[in-house]
Amino acid sequence: MTNSKKQPIHLRDIILIALVGIIFSVIYFGCDFLYNALTVALTPIKLGPAANDIVIGIWCMAGPIAGFLVPHVGSGFLGEFLGAAGESALGGEFGASNLITGAVQGIAAELGFTFTGYKHYNWITSIISVVSMTVITFAWDWFRNGYAKFTPTMQITCFIIRLVSMFIFSGVLVQLIVRLLRRAHVVRK
């Protein structure tokens, strides 16, 4: 899909972005429990830190979905930020710091659309978004979660796991969801 002409953002677009944020805030809140369970399960085999990287693809889905469903500048950022804000409001374990993380993830998701000039909404955009989200969120975790202290082997392992998670959840699954919503005529093409 290409978006060759500029169209004004409508109230229904804003409502759709808000709905994406609300739905994903609940999903993100649920992923907090999955993250904790994975951390506990993987710690005995010295892969506990990788739990974050396994779940990160789910935690970054709102931005790409909002960006594909509402093809306007900033919709990917707003969808991701609202999802993180909702997770915090629900009592997510990361608290208010989630707002900063949501902003970082939103910027990372938005870059995929930025690099294509907001004109192409296809697999190429999705792959660029996956790569930008992987790199930027890994850099964020490098400082925030102490990834700099990990061994080089653990850093590479976490990065690869993160890339695969992003590809599966924020790439493939997002494309499938968007395609299904369009086929069902729930959203505009």
Side-chain angles (χ1 to χ4, degrees):
M1 177 183 161
T2 60
N3 186 15
S4 58
K5 59 183 178 177
K6 299 273 184 188
Q7 296 178 359
I9 192 160
H10 298 285
L11 179 60
R12 72 175 171 256
D13 297 325
I14 295 167
I15 291 170
L16 182 57
I17 293 169
L19 284 173
V20 167
I22 291 167
I23 291 165
F24 275 94
S25 66
V26 174
I27 293 170
Y28 292 173
F29 182 74
C31 281
D32 291 352
F33 299 103
L34 176 61
Y35 163 75
N36 289 330
L38 284 170
T39 301
V40 169
L42 294 173
T43 297
I45 58 171
K46 299 183 181 181
L47 287 174
N52 182 52
D53 301 290
I54 293 169
V55 178
I56 193 78
I58 300 169
W59 275 327
C60 290
M61 286 178 67
I65 285 184
F68 278 107
L69 294 179
V70 182
H72 290 283
V73 175
S75 60
F77 171 81
L78 190 56
E80 189 64 45
F81 183 77
L82 290 174
E87 179 188 359
S88 293
L90 288 172
E93 68 182 78
F94 302 106
S97 70
N98 229 12
L99 298 176
I100 299 168
T101 300
V104 170
Q105 292 171 346
I107 290 167
E110 193 72 28
L111 282 178
F113 303 100
T114 304
F115 288 144
T116 61
Y118 295 92
K119 292 181 181 167
H120 304 282
Y121 293 83
N122 53 27
W123 273 102
I124 293 170
T125 305
S126 191
I127 296 300
I128 294 169
S129 189
V130 162
V131 171
S132 67
M133 287 187 299
T134 301
V135 171
I136 290 172
T137 61
F138 191 82
W140 173 245
D141 282 332
W142 184 272
F143 296 105
R144 181 177 184 262
N145 291 330
Y147 278 37
K149 302 288 184 191
F150 295 165
T151 65
T153 303
M154 183 57 133
Q155 291 170 354
I156 292 167
T157 301
C158 286
F159 186 84
I160 291 169
I161 291 169
R162 180 177 298 240
L163 181 60
V164 170
S165 176
M166 287 286 192
F167 179 74
I168 291 169
F169 295 109
S170 296
V172 174
L173 191 56
V174 163
Q175 285 292 319
L176 291 173
I177 291 169
V178 168
R179 185 176 295 152
L180 286 172
L181 290 172
R182 287 184 178 147
R183 278 190 188 160
H185 302 287
V186 173
V187 294
R188 293 176 284 148
K189 291 187 179 187

